[in-house]
Amino acid sequence: LKIKVVLKEIQSEVYSIEEKELDKIIIGFEEKESILEIKENLLNDESTIKIYDKDGVEITDENEVVRTGLEMRLEIEGQVYDRVMIILRGDLNEDGVINVTDKVQLQNHILSKEIIEDYRVYAADLEVDDVINVTDNVKLGDYILKKITSTD
């Protein structure tokens, strides 16, 4: 008799999974990390983890890079047991690259020219203090200029 223990929640010792008001998010990624690398850093069986884009299309290319706005689901035999929104801190435009485009979006939000909302607020809150302000913008700038090595 073989018994296989199956986790019914997405779990990791590398990334942080947090329950927010409306979202459950997973954070702690480095820029340019691949889908395959992410799956390897979960405690779950890789075959049970599926990644979907904003349109609900499964991403099957495991070399694709992580980006804000992807949804990770724990699926076993077609049943979804858990889902988390992937957040790459600093990746505001959801392209998986942290650069001046993201910094402009953050500045525009601070100046009330643009609104960052939904799960993207977690990507914009680099200081992790539940406020999006100039200190987040400074940290993003420092990362882009390579003064710091991580946005998390």
Side-chain angles (χ1 to χ4, degrees):
L1 179 67
K2 248 185 178 175
I3 296 174
K4 184 176 180 182
V5 176
V6 178
L7 298 171
K8 298 243 175 147
E9 279 190 334
I10 296 169
Q11 295 181 10
S12 175
E13 293 175 344
V14 177
Y15 310 119
S16 298
I17 299 170
E18 300 177 11
E19 294 271 355
K20 297 294 186 179
E21 282 181 36
L22 301 172
D23 299 296
K24 187 173 182 183
I25 64 170
I26 183 167
I27 54 174
F29 306 103
E30 295 297 322
E31 189 178 21
K32 299 185 176 105
E33 249 184 286
S34 72
I35 299 293
L36 179 61
E37 289 171 301
I38 292 166
K39 287 182 174 184
E40 290 172 347
N41 284 322
L42 298 174
L43 298 176
N44 307 83
D45 181 331
E46 287 180 36
S47 69
T48 65
I49 299 296
K50 308 258 190 256
I51 310 285
Y52 294 89
D53 68 14
K54 283 196 293 194
D55 298 321
V57 176
E58 184 179 356
I59 297 173
T60 54
D61 180 359
E62 293 193 324
N63 293 316
E64 196 163 321
V65 295
V66 67
R67 62 185 185 268
T68 295
L70 296 178
E71 184 179 68
M72 180 185 299
R73 297 180 194 165
L74 172 63
E75 295 182 16
I76 303 167
E77 296 174 5
Q79 171 85 29
V80 178
Y81 288 93
D82 197 14
R83 60 181 71 215
V84 294
M85 184 63 68
I86 293 176
I87 304 296
L88 174 59
R89 291 215 198 269
D91 178 29
L92 306 183
N93 67 347
E94 305 175 55
D95 66 354
V97 179
I98 302 167
N99 59 23
V100 72
T101 307
D102 301 296
K103 189 165 177 9
V104 168
Q105 283 190 345
L106 185 53
Q107 283 174 238
N108 285 341
H109 176 81
I110 293 165
L111 296 170
S112 300
K113 293 180 178 180
E114 184 177 334
I115 296 174
I116 294 172
E117 54 191 0
D118 299 324
Y119 56 84
R120 291 176 55 229
V121 299
Y122 309 119
D125 185 14
L126 281 80
E127 287 293 314
V128 195
D129 57 3
D130 295 324
V131 178
I132 300 171
N133 60 22
V134 126
T135 58
D136 299 301
N137 199 35
V138 168
K139 186 170 184 176
L140 187 54
D142 286 349
Y143 177 80
I144 293 167
L145 294 171
K146 302 193 183 325
K147 292 181 179 179
I148 58 174
T149 57
S150 175
T151 56
D152 243 335

